[in-house]
Amino acid sequence: MRPRLRCAVLDDFQSVATEIADWSPVAEDVDVVSFAEHFADEDSLVEALADYDIVVTLRERVPFPASLLARLPRLKLLIASGMRNSVIDYAAAEAHGVTVCGTASSSTPPVELTWALLLGLARGLVTEHNSLRSGGPWQSTVGVDLHGARLGLLGLGKIGSRVARIGLAFGMRVTAWSQNLTKEHADEVGVELAASKEDLLADSDFVSVHLALSDRTRGLLGAPELALLKPTAYLINTSRAAIVDQDALLAALHEGRIAGAGVDVFDIEPLPADHPMRTAPRLLATPHLGYVSRANYATYYGQAVEDIQAYLAVSPVRQLG
């Protein structure tokens, strides 16, 4: 009879990980503990995870560099939601005998949240809701029409393409740009290919970011790029915070150089209580909810169980690295 293993589920903020999926297939071999609190530094992670053989982590919220992996000698299986993770040191994991696996991830939730933020900004929903609930003025904003407005998309991949089609359904004129985007692909989606990033920014009424974070996209929108936006334009970022220079965005919001921004991703997550993004004007912000939906969580945790089963059978699946 093999010894029981211990599995830690990190950042289970809603305390649903053990309820939203069926963990019974591994119940005879594995004890599962979920943590609702976030461990923000390596020392706290080591203290919390020292006695665990398996760790399940969400997306790229918790880095697993070589230094951390070296301090977790008991760790043997690391499962990350999604099939791409830039904050795990795969070479160090292999050197320490840690198997790294992923899960599927749906593009539907971030598409839907993108539109929730865009529509919320366009129709002043937070302002009007707060006013109505607090006995404030009856109507204080004038909504922005989507029909006929130009939607500029930075990135036309799986998520960007779906955002584009919804924009077309609203009657928007949709333009896209990325460093590798071809006219053929833009034509397939039914959108215009912008001549340049600068042209897209200058011409758009709404700009939405749908690029993967890489050396080429880090800081892609800095102060010079944000200065190209119309003063009536809105910026939406549900992708990665580092694609947009955070200081430059804060300055543009405080100085009123753009109409507003909808942001779901931040340079530090969870946001510290005193972080300037919490109080920035003209900002509609959500706490990285892009991937947070019942169906997506069921996939993440359900396939985490499958990953554990396969590991126990000495036949790992969905390996990363």
Side-chain angles (χ1 to χ4, degrees):
M1 183 176 180
R2 59 188 172 194
R4 293 185 64 78
L5 303 179
R6 302 192 73 206
C7 173
V9 180
L10 298 181
D11 293 329
D12 184 18
F13 298 133
Q14 301 92 351
S15 298
V16 297
T18 57
E19 301 171 7
I20 211 163
D22 179 11
W23 293 76
S24 63
V26 297
E28 290 187 3
D29 299 293
V30 182
D31 294 320
V32 180
V33 177
S34 71
F35 293 92
E37 70 273 28
H38 177 69
F39 302 112
D41 58 75
E42 187 171 297
D43 287 342
S44 62
L45 279 164
V46 170
E47 182 178 356
L49 302 178
D51 295 329
Y52 287 88
D53 310 275
I54 303 167
V55 171
V56 178
T57 182
L58 281 176
R59 307 299 296 175
E60 296 169 322
R61 177 165 290 125
V62 179
F64 280 83
S67 58
L68 175 58
L69 291 166
R71 298 175 66 187
L72 297 173
R74 184 165 165 173
L75 180 63
K76 296 303 175 188
L77 176 62
L78 176 60
I79 300 170
S81 58
M83 289 301 294
R84 179 173 56 193
N85 195 299
S86 64
V87 299
I88 296 173
D89 188 326
Y90 295 110
E94 183 178 6
H96 289 286
V98 179
T99 300
V100 183
C101 298
T103 74
S105 181
S106 172
S107 62
T108 297
V111 170
E112 293 175 351
L113 185 71
T114 295
W115 280 101
L117 291 172
L118 194 155
L119 288 164
L121 287 167
R123 300 305 296 266
L125 293 187
V126 174
T127 298
E128 297 292 358
H129 167 83
N130 289 342
S131 181
L132 186 147
R133 294 294 293 268
S134 64
W138 184 262
Q139 297 185 2
S140 60
T141 64
V142 178
V144 177
D145 296 284
L146 301 190
H147 188 88
R150 184 171 293 280
L151 171 63
L153 300 176
L154 292 170
L156 197 64
K158 186 184 299 184
I159 294 174
S161 294
R162 296 182 68 175
V163 171
R165 293 186 177 101
I166 295 170
L168 293 170
F170 273 114
M172 302 181 81
R173 297 171 295 151
V174 183
T175 305
W177 176 90
S178 73
Q179 290 160 321
N180 297 324
L181 182 60
T182 64
K183 186 177 185 304
E184 289 73 22
H185 181 55
D187 289 344
E188 288 175 8
V189 180
V191 307
E192 301 172 37
L193 174 63
S196 66
K197 173 183 65 177
E198 289 74 18
D199 284 350
L200 181 142
L201 295 172
D203 293 342
S204 297
D205 300 296
F206 298 87
V207 173
S208 192
V209 180
H210 301 288
L211 295 165
L213 180 61
S214 67
D215 290 340
R216 293 197 305 173
T217 61
R218 187 179 296 275
L220 187 72
L221 297 186
E225 288 77 19
L226 294 178
L228 297 172
L229 292 170
K230 303 174 184 178
T232 54
Y234 296 90
L235 175 68
I236 316 295
N237 187 8
T238 57
S239 182
R240 290 292 183 268
I243 295 172
V244 181
D245 184 305
Q246 300 296 283
D247 291 338
L249 176 58
L250 283 167
L253 292 170
H254 279 283
E255 295 166 15
R257 287 189 275 108
I258 60 175
V263 174
D264 186 49
V265 287
F266 305 92
D267 54 354
I268 303 172
E269 296 186 7
L271 276 181
D274 60 349
H275 194 285
M277 278 290 185
R278 287 188 179 270
T279 54
R282 304 177 180 84
L283 178 66
L284 175 55
T286 48
H288 205 154
L289 297 178
Y291 62 91
V292 180
S293 76
R294 180 161 293 275
N296 226 16
Y297 268 22
T299 297
Y300 289 169
Y301 295 122
Q303 291 194 3
V305 174
E306 294 174 2
D307 289 348
I308 295 171
Q309 285 182 285
Y311 174 79
L312 294 174
V314 198
S315 184
V317 295
R318 291 187 284 266
Q319 285 188 258
L320 304 180

